[in-house]
mmCIF file of all heavy atoms in Angstrom:
data_model
loop_
_atom_site.group_PDB
_atom_site.id
_atom_site.type_symbol
_atom_site.label_atom_id
_atom_site.label_comp_id
_atom_site.label_asym_id
_atom_site.label_seq_id
_atom_site.Cartn_x
_atom_site.Cartn_y
_atom_site.Cartn_z
ATOM 1 N N MET A 1 10.420 -2.876 -14.770
ATOM 2 C CA MET A 1 9.975 -3.800 -15.784
ATOM 3 C C MET A 1 8.852 -4.699 -15.159
ATOM 4 O O MET A 1 9.011 -5.191 -14.037
ATOM 5 C CB MET A 1 11.154 -4.646 -16.214
ATOM 6 C CG MET A 1 10.874 -5.590 -17.287
ATOM 7 S SD MET A 1 12.340 -6.533 -17.696
ATOM 8 C CE MET A 1 11.655 -8.130 -17.914
ATOM 9 N N TYR A 2 7.875 -4.948 -15.989
ATOM 10 C CA TYR A 2 6.743 -5.825 -15.441
ATOM 11 C C TYR A 2 7.145 -7.308 -15.467
ATOM 12 O O TYR A 2 7.732 -7.800 -16.407
ATOM 13 C CB TYR A 2 5.476 -5.662 -16.285
ATOM 14 C CG TYR A 2 4.749 -4.346 -16.015
ATOM 15 C CD1 TYR A 2 4.942 -3.318 -16.864
ATOM 16 C CD2 TYR A 2 3.969 -4.264 -14.937
ATOM 17 C CE1 TYR A 2 4.264 -2.080 -16.623
ATOM 18 C CE2 TYR A 2 3.342 -3.061 -14.606
ATOM 19 C CZ TYR A 2 3.478 -2.037 -15.471
ATOM 20 O OH TYR A 2 2.834 -0.816 -15.187
ATOM 21 N N VAL A 3 6.853 -7.919 -14.354
ATOM 22 C CA VAL A 3 7.023 -9.330 -14.261
ATOM 23 C C VAL A 3 5.658 -10.017 -14.563
ATOM 24 O O VAL A 3 5.567 -10.927 -15.333
ATOM 25 C CB VAL A 3 7.500 -9.802 -12.850
ATOM 26 C CG1 VAL A 3 7.561 -11.306 -12.726
ATOM 27 C CG2 VAL A 3 8.924 -9.230 -12.628
ATOM 28 N N CYS A 4 4.619 -9.520 -13.894
ATOM 29 C CA CYS A 4 3.290 -10.030 -14.096
ATOM 30 C C CYS A 4 2.420 -9.012 -14.760
ATOM 31 O O CYS A 4 2.033 -8.029 -14.177
ATOM 32 C CB CYS A 4 2.691 -10.441 -12.706
ATOM 33 S SG CYS A 4 1.027 -11.091 -12.825
ATOM 34 N N LEU A 5 2.152 -9.229 -16.057
ATOM 35 C CA LEU A 5 1.329 -8.297 -16.789
ATOM 36 C C LEU A 5 -0.128 -8.315 -16.401
ATOM 37 O O LEU A 5 -0.833 -7.299 -16.326
ATOM 38 C CB LEU A 5 1.434 -8.602 -18.291
ATOM 39 C CG LEU A 5 2.741 -8.165 -18.984
ATOM 40 C CD1 LEU A 5 2.754 -8.609 -20.398
ATOM 41 C CD2 LEU A 5 2.917 -6.650 -18.861
ATOM 42 N N CYS A 6 -0.651 -9.487 -16.078
ATOM 43 C CA CYS A 6 -2.047 -9.649 -15.704
ATOM 44 C C CYS A 6 -2.370 -8.763 -14.476
ATOM 45 O O CYS A 6 -3.441 -8.131 -14.400
ATOM 46 C CB CYS A 6 -2.383 -11.056 -15.383
ATOM 47 S SG CYS A 6 -2.363 -12.188 -16.783
ATOM 48 N N LYS A 7 -1.490 -8.709 -13.505
ATOM 49 C CA LYS A 7 -1.693 -7.968 -12.269
ATOM 50 C C LYS A 7 -0.896 -6.682 -12.241
ATOM 51 O O LYS A 7 -1.022 -5.913 -11.236
ATOM 52 C CB LYS A 7 -1.338 -8.814 -11.046
ATOM 53 C CG LYS A 7 -2.227 -10.072 -10.902
ATOM 54 C CD LYS A 7 -3.666 -9.640 -10.517
ATOM 55 C CE LYS A 7 -4.523 -10.838 -10.385
ATOM 56 N NZ LYS A 7 -5.885 -10.467 -9.937
ATOM 57 N N GLY A 8 -0.148 -6.370 -13.243
ATOM 58 C CA GLY A 8 0.642 -5.145 -13.334
ATOM 59 C C GLY A 8 1.619 -5.067 -12.214
ATOM 60 O O GLY A 8 1.816 -4.011 -11.614
ATOM 61 N N VAL A 9 2.362 -6.147 -11.955
ATOM 62 C CA VAL A 9 3.293 -6.173 -10.897
ATOM 63 C C VAL A 9 4.735 -6.088 -11.475
ATOM 64 O O VAL A 9 5.106 -6.832 -12.363
ATOM 65 C CB VAL A 9 3.176 -7.431 -9.999
ATOM 66 C CG1 VAL A 9 4.233 -7.455 -8.893
ATOM 67 C CG2 VAL A 9 1.778 -7.503 -9.435
ATOM 68 N N THR A 10 5.517 -5.155 -10.957
ATOM 69 C CA THR A 10 6.858 -4.943 -11.472
ATOM 70 C C THR A 10 7.850 -5.765 -10.614
ATOM 71 O O THR A 10 7.645 -6.090 -9.494
ATOM 72 C CB THR A 10 7.260 -3.455 -11.416
ATOM 73 O OG1 THR A 10 7.248 -3.013 -10.040
ATOM 74 C CG2 THR A 10 6.260 -2.618 -12.222
ATOM 75 N N CYS A 11 9.064 -5.786 -11.221
ATOM 76 C CA CYS A 11 10.247 -6.379 -10.637
ATOM 77 C C CYS A 11 10.592 -5.665 -9.291
ATOM 78 O O CYS A 11 10.833 -6.294 -8.266
ATOM 79 C CB CYS A 11 11.355 -6.229 -11.622
ATOM 80 S SG CYS A 11 12.939 -6.875 -11.226
ATOM 81 N N ARG A 12 10.484 -4.330 -9.343
ATOM 82 C CA ARG A 12 10.768 -3.529 -8.188
ATOM 83 C C ARG A 12 9.826 -3.794 -7.063
ATOM 84 O O ARG A 12 10.216 -3.920 -5.891
ATOM 85 C CB ARG A 12 10.719 -2.057 -8.620
ATOM 86 C CG ARG A 12 11.272 -1.141 -7.564
ATOM 87 C CD ARG A 12 11.345 0.277 -8.114
ATOM 88 N NE ARG A 12 11.280 1.196 -7.053
ATOM 89 C CZ ARG A 12 10.945 2.489 -7.201
ATOM 90 N NH1 ARG A 12 10.696 2.990 -8.410
ATOM 91 N NH2 ARG A 12 10.933 3.278 -6.188
ATOM 92 N N GLN A 13 8.512 -3.910 -7.344
ATOM 93 C CA GLN A 13 7.519 -4.226 -6.337
ATOM 94 C C GLN A 13 7.787 -5.564 -5.662
ATOM 95 O O GLN A 13 7.667 -5.639 -4.427
ATOM 96 C CB GLN A 13 6.090 -4.244 -6.977
ATOM 97 C CG GLN A 13 5.460 -2.925 -7.225
ATOM 98 C CD GLN A 13 4.164 -3.123 -7.888
ATOM 99 O OE1 GLN A 13 4.120 -3.471 -9.102
ATOM 100 N NE2 GLN A 13 3.059 -2.999 -7.230
ATOM 101 N N ILE A 14 8.210 -6.531 -6.421
ATOM 102 C CA ILE A 14 8.483 -7.883 -5.900
ATOM 103 C C ILE A 14 9.705 -7.753 -4.991
ATOM 104 O O ILE A 14 9.680 -8.250 -3.876
ATOM 105 C CB ILE A 14 8.668 -8.873 -7.022
ATOM 106 C CG1 ILE A 14 7.355 -9.127 -7.720
ATOM 107 C CG2 ILE A 14 9.220 -10.200 -6.457
ATOM 108 C CD1 ILE A 14 7.410 -9.984 -8.933
ATOM 109 N N LYS A 15 10.746 -7.060 -5.447
ATOM 110 C CA LYS A 15 11.995 -6.953 -4.653
ATOM 111 C C LYS A 15 11.719 -6.294 -3.345
ATOM 112 O O LYS A 15 12.374 -6.530 -2.347
ATOM 113 C CB LYS A 15 13.068 -6.268 -5.446
ATOM 114 C CG LYS A 15 13.683 -7.128 -6.514
ATOM 115 C CD LYS A 15 14.777 -6.369 -7.192
ATOM 116 C CE LYS A 15 15.469 -7.204 -8.234
ATOM 117 N NZ LYS A 15 16.411 -6.414 -9.100
ATOM 118 N N GLU A 16 10.808 -5.290 -3.365
ATOM 119 C CA GLU A 16 10.506 -4.594 -2.106
ATOM 120 C C GLU A 16 9.879 -5.471 -0.994
ATOM 121 O O GLU A 16 10.085 -5.219 0.167
ATOM 122 C CB GLU A 16 9.531 -3.435 -2.435
ATOM 123 C CG GLU A 16 10.288 -2.215 -2.884
ATOM 124 C CD GLU A 16 9.297 -1.087 -3.431
ATOM 125 O OE1 GLU A 16 8.114 -1.226 -3.192
ATOM 126 O OE2 GLU A 16 9.856 -0.155 -3.986
ATOM 127 N N VAL A 17 9.067 -6.414 -1.418
ATOM 128 C CA VAL A 17 8.405 -7.207 -0.361
ATOM 129 C C VAL A 17 9.082 -8.549 -0.005
ATOM 130 O O VAL A 17 8.939 -9.083 1.060
ATOM 131 C CB VAL A 17 6.925 -7.496 -0.806
ATOM 132 C CG1 VAL A 17 6.098 -6.239 -0.758
ATOM 133 C CG2 VAL A 17 6.827 -8.241 -2.028
ATOM 134 N N VAL A 18 9.947 -9.065 -0.945
ATOM 135 C CA VAL A 18 10.592 -10.342 -0.692
ATOM 136 C C VAL A 18 11.597 -10.157 0.472
ATOM 137 O O VAL A 18 12.355 -9.206 0.484
ATOM 138 C CB VAL A 18 11.299 -10.840 -1.977
ATOM 139 C CG1 VAL A 18 12.222 -12.023 -1.606
ATOM 140 C CG2 VAL A 18 10.296 -11.274 -2.994
ATOM 141 N N GLY A 19 11.496 -11.044 1.385
ATOM 142 C CA GLY A 19 12.386 -11.011 2.535
ATOM 143 C C GLY A 19 11.795 -10.221 3.720
ATOM 144 O O GLY A 19 12.336 -10.179 4.803
ATOM 145 N N LYS A 20 10.723 -9.552 3.440
ATOM 146 C CA LYS A 20 9.986 -8.752 4.511
ATOM 147 C C LYS A 20 8.690 -9.454 4.866
ATOM 148 O O LYS A 20 8.595 -9.959 5.949
ATOM 149 C CB LYS A 20 9.727 -7.351 3.996
ATOM 150 C CG LYS A 20 11.053 -6.581 3.787
ATOM 151 C CD LYS A 20 10.765 -5.085 3.563
ATOM 152 C CE LYS A 20 12.040 -4.344 3.239
ATOM 153 N NZ LYS A 20 12.216 -4.119 1.805
ATOM 154 N N SER A 21 7.755 -9.504 3.943
ATOM 155 C CA SER A 21 6.542 -10.219 4.209
ATOM 156 C C SER A 21 6.292 -11.360 3.232
ATOM 157 O O SER A 21 5.371 -12.116 3.361
ATOM 158 C CB SER A 21 5.341 -9.223 4.123
ATOM 159 O OG SER A 21 5.352 -8.533 2.885
ATOM 160 N N VAL A 22 7.197 -11.490 2.257
ATOM 161 C CA VAL A 22 7.069 -12.494 1.268
ATOM 162 C C VAL A 22 8.258 -13.481 1.267
ATOM 163 O O VAL A 22 9.432 -12.991 1.139
ATOM 164 C CB VAL A 22 6.888 -11.911 -0.154
ATOM 165 C CG1 VAL A 22 7.017 -12.917 -1.211
ATOM 166 C CG2 VAL A 22 5.489 -11.217 -0.274
ATOM 167 N N TYR A 23 8.033 -14.758 1.449
ATOM 168 C CA TYR A 23 9.095 -15.705 1.443
ATOM 169 C C TYR A 23 8.870 -16.899 0.475
ATOM 170 O O TYR A 23 9.695 -17.788 0.401
ATOM 171 C CB TYR A 23 9.335 -16.271 2.826
ATOM 172 C CG TYR A 23 9.746 -15.178 3.771
ATOM 173 C CD1 TYR A 23 8.842 -14.499 4.510
ATOM 174 C CD2 TYR A 23 11.112 -14.929 3.983
ATOM 175 C CE1 TYR A 23 9.235 -13.398 5.370
ATOM 176 C CE2 TYR A 23 11.553 -13.907 4.832
ATOM 177 C CZ TYR A 23 10.563 -13.158 5.469
ATOM 178 O OH TYR A 23 11.005 -12.125 6.325
ATOM 179 N N SER A 24 7.746 -16.895 -0.179
ATOM 180 C CA SER A 24 7.431 -18.003 -1.084
ATOM 181 C C SER A 24 6.506 -17.513 -2.213
ATOM 182 O O SER A 24 5.948 -16.366 -2.182
ATOM 183 C CB SER A 24 6.643 -19.070 -0.304
ATOM 184 O OG SER A 24 5.376 -18.543 0.138
ATOM 185 N N MET A 25 6.317 -18.371 -3.184
ATOM 186 C CA MET A 25 5.408 -18.009 -4.314
ATOM 187 C C MET A 25 3.975 -17.867 -3.795
ATOM 188 O O MET A 25 3.220 -17.047 -4.296
ATOM 189 C CB MET A 25 5.453 -19.138 -5.378
ATOM 190 C CG MET A 25 6.681 -19.070 -6.281
ATOM 191 S SD MET A 25 6.832 -17.519 -7.142
ATOM 192 C CE MET A 25 5.463 -17.653 -8.325
ATOM 193 N N LYS A 26 3.665 -18.672 -2.803
ATOM 194 C CA LYS A 26 2.298 -18.545 -2.189
ATOM 195 C C LYS A 26 2.070 -17.124 -1.589
ATOM 196 O O LYS A 26 1.068 -16.516 -1.782
ATOM 197 C CB LYS A 26 2.148 -19.637 -1.103
ATOM 198 C CG LYS A 26 0.705 -19.809 -0.682
ATOM 199 C CD LYS A 26 0.632 -20.916 0.369
ATOM 200 C CE LYS A 26 -0.684 -20.828 1.059
ATOM 201 N NZ LYS A 26 -0.721 -21.640 2.321
ATOM 202 N N ASP A 27 3.087 -16.657 -0.854
ATOM 203 C CA ASP A 27 3.012 -15.302 -0.276
ATOM 204 C C ASP A 27 2.878 -14.266 -1.386
ATOM 205 O O ASP A 27 2.113 -13.306 -1.292
ATOM 206 C CB ASP A 27 4.322 -14.942 0.498
ATOM 207 C CG ASP A 27 4.473 -15.845 1.716
ATOM 208 O OD1 ASP A 27 3.469 -16.433 2.213
ATOM 209 O OD2 ASP A 27 5.638 -15.918 2.206
ATOM 210 N N LEU A 28 3.645 -14.489 -2.449
ATOM 211 C CA LEU A 28 3.663 -13.529 -3.564
ATOM 212 C C LEU A 28 2.293 -13.484 -4.209
ATOM 213 O O LEU A 28 1.798 -12.394 -4.583
ATOM 214 C CB LEU A 28 4.759 -13.940 -4.557
ATOM 215 C CG LEU A 28 5.452 -12.942 -5.412
ATOM 216 C CD1 LEU A 28 5.939 -11.722 -4.604
ATOM 217 C CD2 LEU A 28 6.668 -13.575 -6.091
ATOM 218 N N ALA A 29 1.716 -14.634 -4.400
ATOM 219 C CA ALA A 29 0.374 -14.718 -4.961
ATOM 220 C C ALA A 29 -0.673 -14.023 -4.072
ATOM 221 O O ALA A 29 -1.503 -13.314 -4.560
ATOM 222 C CB ALA A 29 -0.025 -16.186 -5.238
ATOM 223 N N GLN A 30 -0.546 -14.318 -2.800
ATOM 224 C CA GLN A 30 -1.536 -13.767 -1.862
ATOM 225 C C GLN A 30 -1.403 -12.256 -1.765
ATOM 226 O O GLN A 30 -2.425 -11.534 -1.702
ATOM 227 C CB GLN A 30 -1.382 -14.368 -0.491
ATOM 228 C CG GLN A 30 -2.043 -15.711 -0.411
ATOM 229 C CD GLN A 30 -1.722 -16.457 0.928
ATOM 230 O OE1 GLN A 30 -0.888 -16.065 1.682
ATOM 231 N NE2 GLN A 30 -2.428 -17.534 1.131
ATOM 232 N N GLN A 31 -0.211 -11.756 -1.710
ATOM 233 C CA GLN A 31 -0.004 -10.320 -1.457
ATOM 234 C C GLN A 31 -0.083 -9.459 -2.694
ATOM 235 O O GLN A 31 -0.608 -8.361 -2.679
ATOM 236 C CB GLN A 31 1.313 -10.089 -0.720
ATOM 237 C CG GLN A 31 1.209 -10.592 0.681
ATOM 238 C CD GLN A 31 2.381 -10.063 1.526
ATOM 239 O OE1 GLN A 31 2.866 -9.000 1.325
ATOM 240 N NE2 GLN A 31 2.757 -10.879 2.501
ATOM 241 N N LEU A 32 0.483 -9.983 -3.835
ATOM 242 C CA LEU A 32 0.491 -9.112 -5.003
ATOM 243 C C LEU A 32 -0.353 -9.721 -6.208
ATOM 244 O O LEU A 32 -0.482 -9.048 -7.228
ATOM 245 C CB LEU A 32 1.920 -8.849 -5.502
ATOM 246 C CG LEU A 32 2.866 -8.104 -4.535
ATOM 247 C CD1 LEU A 32 4.277 -8.006 -5.076
ATOM 248 C CD2 LEU A 32 2.341 -6.710 -4.203
ATOM 249 N N GLY A 33 -0.769 -10.934 -6.057
ATOM 250 C CA GLY A 33 -1.593 -11.535 -7.073
ATOM 251 C C GLY A 33 -0.751 -12.170 -8.214
ATOM 252 O O GLY A 33 -1.308 -12.601 -9.236
ATOM 253 N N VAL A 34 0.595 -12.187 -8.002
ATOM 254 C CA VAL A 34 1.472 -12.751 -9.050
ATOM 255 C C VAL A 34 1.162 -14.207 -9.311
ATOM 256 O O VAL A 34 0.966 -15.008 -8.404
ATOM 257 C CB VAL A 34 2.955 -12.584 -8.562
ATOM 258 C CG1 VAL A 34 3.892 -13.307 -9.500
ATOM 259 C CG2 VAL A 34 3.306 -11.135 -8.441
ATOM 260 N N ALA A 35 1.090 -14.490 -10.635
ATOM 261 C CA ALA A 35 0.794 -15.849 -11.146
ATOM 262 C C ALA A 35 -0.557 -16.403 -10.710
ATOM 263 O O ALA A 35 -0.719 -17.621 -10.597
ATOM 264 C CB ALA A 35 1.910 -16.827 -10.668
ATOM 265 N N THR A 36 -1.515 -15.553 -10.518
ATOM 266 C CA THR A 36 -2.821 -16.033 -10.143
ATOM 267 C C THR A 36 -3.834 -15.999 -11.303
ATOM 268 O O THR A 36 -4.949 -16.409 -11.169
ATOM 269 C CB THR A 36 -3.464 -15.202 -8.951
ATOM 270 O OG1 THR A 36 -3.470 -13.850 -9.366
ATOM 271 C CG2 THR A 36 -2.635 -15.398 -7.703
ATOM 272 N N GLN A 37 -3.354 -15.497 -12.485
ATOM 273 C CA GLN A 37 -4.263 -15.529 -13.668
ATOM 274 C C GLN A 37 -3.720 -16.462 -14.728
ATOM 275 O O GLN A 37 -3.935 -17.650 -14.649
ATOM 276 C CB GLN A 37 -4.463 -14.117 -14.167
ATOM 277 C CG GLN A 37 -5.599 -13.427 -13.338
ATOM 278 C CD GLN A 37 -6.008 -12.133 -13.919
ATOM 279 O OE1 GLN A 37 -5.693 -11.797 -15.045
ATOM 280 N NE2 GLN A 37 -6.695 -11.344 -13.097
ATOM 281 N N CYS A 38 -3.017 -15.946 -15.727
ATOM 282 C CA CYS A 38 -2.589 -16.791 -16.766
ATOM 283 C C CYS A 38 -1.428 -17.756 -16.362
ATOM 284 O O CYS A 38 -1.212 -18.781 -16.947
ATOM 285 C CB CYS A 38 -2.169 -15.997 -18.009
ATOM 286 S SG CYS A 38 -0.558 -15.183 -17.842
ATOM 287 N N GLY A 39 -0.635 -17.289 -15.373
ATOM 288 C CA GLY A 39 0.444 -18.127 -14.893
ATOM 289 C C GLY A 39 1.734 -18.008 -15.673
ATOM 290 O O GLY A 39 2.772 -18.628 -15.303
ATOM 291 N N ARG A 40 1.768 -17.199 -16.741
ATOM 292 C CA ARG A 40 2.920 -17.129 -17.575
ATOM 293 C C ARG A 40 4.151 -16.456 -16.833
ATOM 294 O O ARG A 40 5.269 -16.666 -17.202
ATOM 295 C CB ARG A 40 2.634 -16.274 -18.808
ATOM 296 C CG ARG A 40 2.469 -17.171 -20.052
ATOM 297 C CD ARG A 40 2.142 -16.321 -21.248
ATOM 298 N NE ARG A 40 0.757 -16.438 -21.593
ATOM 299 C CZ ARG A 40 -0.031 -15.467 -22.098
ATOM 300 N NH1 ARG A 40 0.464 -14.308 -22.381
ATOM 301 N NH2 ARG A 40 -1.274 -15.755 -22.356
ATOM 302 N N CYS A 41 3.871 -15.724 -15.814
ATOM 303 C CA CYS A 41 4.909 -15.037 -15.067
ATOM 304 C C CYS A 41 5.537 -15.924 -14.051
ATOM 305 O O CYS A 41 6.507 -15.568 -13.343
ATOM 306 C CB CYS A 41 4.359 -13.805 -14.420
ATOM 307 S SG CYS A 41 2.993 -14.158 -13.306
ATOM 308 N N GLY A 42 4.946 -17.098 -13.827
ATOM 309 C CA GLY A 42 5.380 -17.934 -12.714
ATOM 310 C C GLY A 42 6.874 -18.237 -12.614
ATOM 311 O O GLY A 42 7.448 -18.075 -11.574
ATOM 312 N N GLN A 43 7.421 -18.658 -13.765
ATOM 313 C CA GLN A 43 8.831 -19.022 -13.699
ATOM 314 C C GLN A 43 9.753 -17.815 -13.443
ATOM 315 O O GLN A 43 10.689 -17.851 -12.639
ATOM 316 C CB GLN A 43 9.264 -19.707 -15.034
ATOM 317 C CG GLN A 43 10.659 -20.345 -14.992
ATOM 318 C CD GLN A 43 10.781 -21.336 -13.825
ATOM 319 O OE1 GLN A 43 10.019 -22.291 -13.782
ATOM 320 N NE2 GLN A 43 11.728 -21.149 -12.943
ATOM 321 N N ASP A 44 9.465 -16.674 -14.058
ATOM 322 C CA ASP A 44 10.290 -15.465 -13.886
ATOM 323 C C ASP A 44 10.123 -14.966 -12.425
ATOM 324 O O ASP A 44 11.082 -14.578 -11.811
ATOM 325 C CB ASP A 44 9.796 -14.295 -14.830
ATOM 326 C CG ASP A 44 10.282 -14.550 -16.253
ATOM 327 O OD1 ASP A 44 11.159 -15.460 -16.424
ATOM 328 O OD2 ASP A 44 9.738 -13.894 -17.147
ATOM 329 N N ALA A 45 8.902 -15.052 -11.938
ATOM 330 C CA ALA A 45 8.633 -14.580 -10.539
ATOM 331 C C ALA A 45 9.433 -15.494 -9.574
ATOM 332 O O ALA A 45 10.004 -15.053 -8.591
ATOM 333 C CB ALA A 45 7.151 -14.594 -10.222
ATOM 334 N N ARG A 46 9.377 -16.780 -9.819
ATOM 335 C CA ARG A 46 10.116 -17.752 -8.982
ATOM 336 C C ARG A 46 11.611 -17.474 -9.001
ATOM 337 O O ARG A 46 12.246 -17.468 -7.955
ATOM 338 C CB ARG A 46 9.829 -19.157 -9.474
ATOM 339 C CG ARG A 46 10.165 -20.312 -8.512
ATOM 340 C CD ARG A 46 9.782 -21.655 -9.085
ATOM 341 N NE ARG A 46 8.466 -21.642 -9.622
ATOM 342 C CZ ARG A 46 7.370 -21.945 -8.932
ATOM 343 N NH1 ARG A 46 7.452 -22.316 -7.712
ATOM 344 N NH2 ARG A 46 6.174 -21.927 -9.480
ATOM 345 N N ASP A 47 12.138 -17.193 -10.170
ATOM 346 C CA ASP A 47 13.579 -16.905 -10.287
ATOM 347 C C ASP A 47 13.937 -15.657 -9.528
ATOM 348 O O ASP A 47 14.913 -15.591 -8.840
ATOM 349 C CB ASP A 47 13.983 -16.737 -11.788
ATOM 350 C CG ASP A 47 13.929 -18.032 -12.544
ATOM 351 O OD1 ASP A 47 13.853 -19.114 -11.902
ATOM 352 O OD2 ASP A 47 13.934 -17.980 -13.792
ATOM 353 N N LEU A 48 13.097 -14.641 -9.664
ATOM 354 C CA LEU A 48 13.360 -13.349 -8.994
ATOM 355 C C LEU A 48 13.216 -13.502 -7.504
ATOM 356 O O LEU A 48 14.064 -12.957 -6.716
ATOM 357 C CB LEU A 48 12.332 -12.342 -9.504
ATOM 358 C CG LEU A 48 12.472 -10.922 -8.949
ATOM 359 C CD1 LEU A 48 13.855 -10.324 -9.293
ATOM 360 C CD2 LEU A 48 11.408 -10.000 -9.529
ATOM 361 N N LEU A 49 12.268 -14.239 -7.054
ATOM 362 C CA LEU A 49 12.074 -14.540 -5.608
ATOM 363 C C LEU A 49 13.337 -15.230 -5.064
ATOM 364 O O LEU A 49 13.842 -14.811 -4.040
ATOM 365 C CB LEU A 49 10.853 -15.487 -5.395
ATOM 366 C CG LEU A 49 10.588 -15.993 -4.066
ATOM 367 C CD1 LEU A 49 9.990 -14.914 -3.174
ATOM 368 C CD2 LEU A 49 9.620 -17.184 -4.111
ATOM 369 N N LYS A 50 13.790 -16.241 -5.744
ATOM 370 C CA LYS A 50 14.943 -16.975 -5.333
ATOM 371 C C LYS A 50 16.176 -16.139 -5.227
ATOM 372 O O LYS A 50 16.922 -16.070 -4.235
ATOM 373 C CB LYS A 50 15.242 -18.169 -6.352
ATOM 374 C CG LYS A 50 15.173 -19.499 -5.755
ATOM 375 C CD LYS A 50 15.695 -20.465 -6.782
ATOM 376 C CE LYS A 50 15.217 -21.869 -6.531
ATOM 377 N NZ LYS A 50 15.511 -22.767 -7.633
ATOM 378 N N SER A 51 16.425 -15.352 -6.338
ATOM 379 C CA SER A 51 17.650 -14.533 -6.326
ATOM 380 C C SER A 51 17.579 -13.452 -5.254
ATOM 381 O O SER A 51 18.518 -13.073 -4.633
ATOM 382 C CB SER A 51 17.919 -13.979 -7.696
ATOM 383 O OG SER A 51 16.890 -13.099 -8.086
ATOM 384 N N THR A 52 16.376 -12.849 -5.021
ATOM 385 C CA THR A 52 16.250 -11.817 -4.028
ATOM 386 C C THR A 52 16.415 -12.365 -2.588
ATOM 387 O O THR A 52 17.059 -11.740 -1.796
ATOM 388 C CB THR A 52 14.922 -11.068 -4.158
ATOM 389 O OG1 THR A 52 14.739 -10.734 -5.546
ATOM 390 C CG2 THR A 52 14.839 -9.833 -3.285
ATOM 391 N N LEU A 53 15.876 -13.550 -2.384
ATOM 392 C CA LEU A 53 16.024 -14.193 -1.070
ATOM 393 C C LEU A 53 17.492 -14.480 -0.753
ATOM 394 O O LEU A 53 17.958 -14.341 0.325
ATOM 395 C CB LEU A 53 15.190 -15.463 -0.985
ATOM 396 C CG LEU A 53 13.711 -15.267 -0.669
ATOM 397 C CD1 LEU A 53 12.967 -16.642 -0.749
ATOM 398 C CD2 LEU A 53 13.462 -14.595 0.680
ATOM 399 N N THR A 54 18.208 -14.925 -1.794
ATOM 400 C CA THR A 54 19.586 -15.239 -1.670
ATOM 401 C C THR A 54 20.438 -13.989 -1.329
ATOM 402 O O THR A 54 21.362 -14.061 -0.504
ATOM 403 C CB THR A 54 20.134 -15.883 -2.997
ATOM 404 O OG1 THR A 54 19.287 -16.926 -3.322
ATOM 405 C CG2 THR A 54 21.568 -16.405 -2.834
ATOM 406 N N LEU A 55 20.067 -12.886 -1.928
ATOM 407 C CA LEU A 55 20.789 -11.614 -1.648
ATOM 408 C C LEU A 55 20.511 -11.074 -0.284
ATOM 409 O O LEU A 55 21.371 -10.360 0.283
ATOM 410 C CB LEU A 55 20.393 -10.560 -2.683
ATOM 411 C CG LEU A 55 20.890 -10.837 -4.134
ATOM 412 C CD1 LEU A 55 20.340 -9.799 -5.092
ATOM 413 C CD2 LEU A 55 22.394 -10.846 -4.215
ATOM 414 N N ASN A 56 19.315 -11.313 0.261
ATOM 415 C CA ASN A 56 18.958 -10.730 1.507
ATOM 416 C C ASN A 56 19.641 -11.393 2.742
ATOM 417 O O ASN A 56 19.919 -12.540 2.747
ATOM 418 C CB ASN A 56 17.422 -10.787 1.785
ATOM 419 C CG ASN A 56 16.763 -9.687 0.973
ATOM 420 O OD1 ASN A 56 17.378 -8.727 0.536
ATOM 421 N ND2 ASN A 56 15.455 -9.819 0.761
HETATM 422 FE FE1 LIG B 1 1.172 -12.984 -14.199
HETATM 423 FE FE2 LIG B 1 -0.535 -13.554 -16.099
HETATM 424 S S1 LIG B 1 1.360 -12.503 -16.287
HETATM 425 S S2 LIG B 1 -0.665 -14.139 -14.087
#
């Protein structure tokens, strides 16, 4: 499922990098471009980042 439509980034792609090379929204923006355009995905991306970091 897409989290960021502007950049075509999926939930799975985010889960793959969180805890490896991504630890913050800034990392996510730099590496996958999440929330760098319209910003609508920001809250969902943040929630996913948080829950994935908690699981790792
Ligand atoms: Fe992610 Fe627009 S949906 S920046």
Side-chain angles (χ1 to χ4, degrees):
M1 184 181 139
Y2 283 101
V3 172
C4 179
L5 285 176
C6 293
K7 295 291 181 176
V9 179
T10 64
C11 181
R12 190 171 154 200
Q13 281 176 285
I14 293 176
K15 284 182 179 171
E16 275 172 10
V17 293
V18 170
K20 295 189 182 100
S21 54
V22 168
Y23 295 90
S24 65
M25 283 301 289
K26 192 178 166 196
D27 295 340
L28 211 45
Q30 281 173 348
Q31 291 194 31
L32 298 177
V34 172
T36 58
Q37 276 189 14
C38 75
R40 258 179 254 147
C41 58
Q43 191 57 55
D44 285 346
R46 194 177 313 271
D47 291 346
L48 184 59
L49 172 74
K50 241 188 200 172
S51 62
T52 309
L53 279 175
T54 307
L55 291 175
N56 282 342

